[in-house]
Amino acid sequence: MRLAGCAAELRRGEVATKIACEGSRRLADLAIAFLEVAVVTLEDVAKHAGVSLATASRVLNGSTRQVGASLRARVELAAAQLGYRTNVAAQTLARGAANVVGLVVHDLVDPYFAALADGAMRVAESRGLMVMVGTTHRDTEREIAYVSTLNAQRVRAVLLAGSRTADLRATRRLREELDRYREGGGRVACVGQDLLGADTVAPGNREGAAALAAALAGLGHRRFAVLAGPTGLITARDRTAGFAEALAGLGLPAPHVVHGSFDRDGGYAAVGEAVKAGATCVFAVNDVMAVGALAALRDRGIRVPDDVSVAGFDDIATLRDLVPALSTVRLPLAHMGARALELALDPADEARVEKIPGEVVLRESTRRLG
Amino acid sequence: MRLAGCAAELRRGEVATKIACEGSRRLADLAIAFLEVAVVTLEDVAKHAGVSLATASRVLNGSTRQVGASLRARVELAAAQLGYRTNVAAQTLARGAANVVGLVVHDLVDPYFAALADGAMRVAESRGLMVMVGTTHRDTEREIAYVSTLNAQRVRAVLLAGSRTADLRATRRLREELDRYREGGGRVACVGQDLLGADTVAPGNREGAAALAAALAGLGHRRFAVLAGPTGLITARDRTAGFAEALAGLGLPAPHVVHGSFDRDGGYAAVGEAVKAGATCVFAVNDVMAVGALAALRDRGIRVPDDVSVAGFDDIATLRDLVPALSTVRLPLAHMGARALELALDPADEARVEKIPGEVVLRESTRRLG
DNA sequence: CTGTTAGCGCGTTCAA
DNA sequence: TTGAACGCGCTAACAG
């Protein structure tokens, strides 16, 4: 048992005193008296209970327990009395793997990632795993750095949530970093595109956008605009492409495509050009952008859906009470996050790709034309 | 260097082969060839570089570096060639403290917590710390369990975000768990009420609500209702109390208080009774509840703000584009999360409480009464 | 079922 | 500056 009253200031070596507690009643009491400032180890517990280290380990941290009832009780009592806390670092070192998973997201404030994270964290919790979260704020370098750190942490699995970019060099380096991690036995899954040779939960961006286009065309719209987000973001690209392809397939004119940032302000800024181009229906490639678009239209006195229809993508729960209610493509985000972590945690021989279909939901923000 | 091709399946002991790499060119090449399936340790790097373990350690992980340039270069080269990854668990064990902080929140999908988390994570990143996140989903037991786990992880600090409940027994047990953690040198901070004897960032719930009440009274409102959330949640209580007290101070009648859940559905369900009671102005104790209230009013054909005014609390960024724009009390959430972690990380002699004032923001959802 | 013992990989004295 | 050696706390053979 090491004294560690102000462990933050103390370093090993400054702590000279050791308290022996060989089972003697008095010494045990002494030990308990010192509890307030002591770090109790498994060895302390074993001694206090009068058993071997191994037995104590089996009782307190072992998986398949095979310890007699009386010894078990003694160990548990001793642990409780001394206030024993497992030292996870020691466990991890001895076992070679941590009970931790890593989660790398772009931005927790974005409800899309929050929902994914929530789903993943529920799975983690159900399996007794802690979650280490890294936020990249869309910085590719940081994403790579997080994978590296999580690798050093020997986490059981890494979940990469969020669209890949078209930056091939960055993707390549990320992949190398992931390979390093996998070489050490790590498992990887991602939500987004199947570009990393890992288990992937792939939202049906193309198909969903196509279905949305068809539905909107079904409302009589002919002149579309797409608030397409950044050119480099594959999710944004796929949704734009799926939308455009579906229109082409229906023999309709190509949509007017406006690029911008992938967030609320991106939608706000881009929608002006969209209406100027004469679109009767604007598709923002995600809900958050759609919200920005709605705000901009409101500011310009353009009514939705009377003057122009607006649709988004994702069906973010927090945004469901918007007025007018947003037409969109629903993605089961929490499920996707959960599923991705499950894939990573239940390894298979080869990487699996699970496609998640989006469901078109038409609400008030889009109306039948004419 | 341990072979670990399928480390997940292998256990120590099954790995019999060891590759010696004593500096011989051929053996080194061999080692590199095996890189794809090997876990490289610091010892491997040291041998490969022809230096001692200590030197390798100083170069790769040491803080105050004092190693000759040539040796340094050799070590770095060897590490790069072999693809060395620090084993954080071993480091943590040897050092006694992990470069990790713990963050316990109620619900990441709630934008309130997402914003707090975001602020805290930025601070963590700026200090090279990883963040372990636990989501309690408002389960007090789970909160306690997370503190215990984070304690076992030997995290540097634990940040508890979210209101305490009035459950004294649970608070007491949480506090005991926190004490255990602190005994081992851990640091604790929380966002919310100063009930845990820890550094606290305390939003001015009472004062903010009072200021809001005054502002709304200034608009001519006299008959108020409060969507007060759960009776057991202290944040909800404080906001309700502050609001009521301010009204009393102004000589106005007490508000009609309706309890419910602290989320969107709680607001949706409670607002009916509020209007039935004849309130001209409804104060929902958080923005998310206010959104629910707006939805319910819309569903009933009650216009906001023409028929009834609605105000919230927090000023959630994601909700700023709501129609009508929500009057609320702005809290700098990201700053609060960041500040709390800073407090925990920069310990002082005694627990500090930092009060964060809320700023009343009147927007469209409240109007001057005829 | 229980105890003994040898590592897990790294940090850090201490001596050279 | 550099190296040798011990210890961090725990797990998992192996022996009994």
Side-chain angles (χ1 to χ4, degrees), chain A residues 52 54-55 58 66-68 71 93-94:
Chain A
S52 75
T55 297
R58 289 191 268 252
Q66 36 202 3
V67 174
L71 283 197
L93 179 58

Side-chain angles (χ1 to χ4, degrees), chain B residues 11-12 51-52 54-55 58 66-68 71 93-94:
Chain B
R11 312 279 345 152
R12 185 172 54 232
V51 303
S52 75
T55 298
R58 290 191 269 252
Q66 37 202 3
V67 174
L71 284 195
L93 180 57

Side-chain angles (χ1 to χ4, degrees), chain B residues 6-271:
Chain B
C6 305
E9 286 78 59
L10 293 180
R11 312 279 345 152
R12 185 172 54 232
E14 299 176 36
V15 184
T17 318
K18 289 238 182 192
I19 303 179
C21 45
E22 314 285 45
S24 142
R25 206 84 188 83
R26 315 259 308 258
L27 285 176
D29 289 348
L30 178 65
I32 291 177
F34 269 93
L35 243 181
E36 294 172 17
V37 289
V39 169
V40 181
T41 73
L42 192 56
E43 191 182 351
D44 299 322
V45 174
K47 280 185 183 154
H48 192 76
V51 303
S52 75
L53 220 179
T55 298
S57 170
R58 290 191 269 252
V59 171
L60 296 175
N61 308 312
S63 45
T64 48
R65 45 198 172 183
Q66 37 202 3
V67 174
S70 75
L71 284 195
R72 163 174 297 280
R74 292 219 324 254
V75 170
E76 279 165 348
L77 179 64
Q81 284 184 166
L82 297 179
Y84 169 72
R85 307 273 100 190
T86 301
N87 183 323
V88 176
Q91 242 179 208
T92 301
L93 180 57
R95 291 212 263 244
N99 281 326
V100 177
V101 298
L103 174 57
V104 182
V105 299
H106 287 324
D107 182 6
L108 269 189
V109 172
D110 184 332
Y112 176 86
F113 293 106
L116 286 178
D118 186 61
M121 295 186 67
R122 284 174 195 268
V123 169
E125 201 202 316
S126 77
R127 306 205 180 192
L129 267 17
M130 290 296 289
V131 180
M132 246 180 208
V133 181
T135 340
T136 69
H137 294 287
R138 303 208 174 275
D139 177 344
T140 321
E141 290 306 313
R142 223 175 306 187
E143 189 169 34
I144 296 171
Y146 272 124
V147 171
S148 169
T149 303
L150 291 168
N151 186 357
Q153 300 275 356
R154 302 292 188 271
V155 298
R156 270 189 150 55
V158 167
L159 176 50
L160 257 31
S163 173
R164 302 294 97 221
T165 69
D167 181 345
L168 260 33
R169 238 181 74 72
T171 301
R172 201 191 121 104
R173 289 184 43 231
L174 175 59
R175 202 172 167 143
E176 288 170 0
E177 198 62 51
L178 289 174
D179 286 339
R180 271 221 196 67
Y181 170 60
R182 283 185 277 227
E183 284 155 20
R187 302 280 320 169
V188 180
C190 50
V191 175
Q193 293 80 36
D194 174 29
L195 258 42
L196 300 170
D199 290 330
T200 302
V201 170
N205 289 323
R206 259 197 149 74
E207 301 79 353
L212 179 64
L216 297 172
L219 293 179
H221 290 278
R222 293 295 174 266
R223 308 186 60 180
F224 293 92
V226 179
L227 312 187
T231 54
L233 207 64
I234 299 191
T235 295
R237 277 192 185 183
D238 286 349
R239 293 178 181 179
T240 303
F243 196 85
E245 286 162 11
L247 293 183
L250 293 168
L252 297 179
H256 184 79
V257 174
V258 189
H259 289 285
S261 66
F262 203 55
D263 51 20
R264 183 265 182 203
D265 291 345
Y268 190 96
V271 75

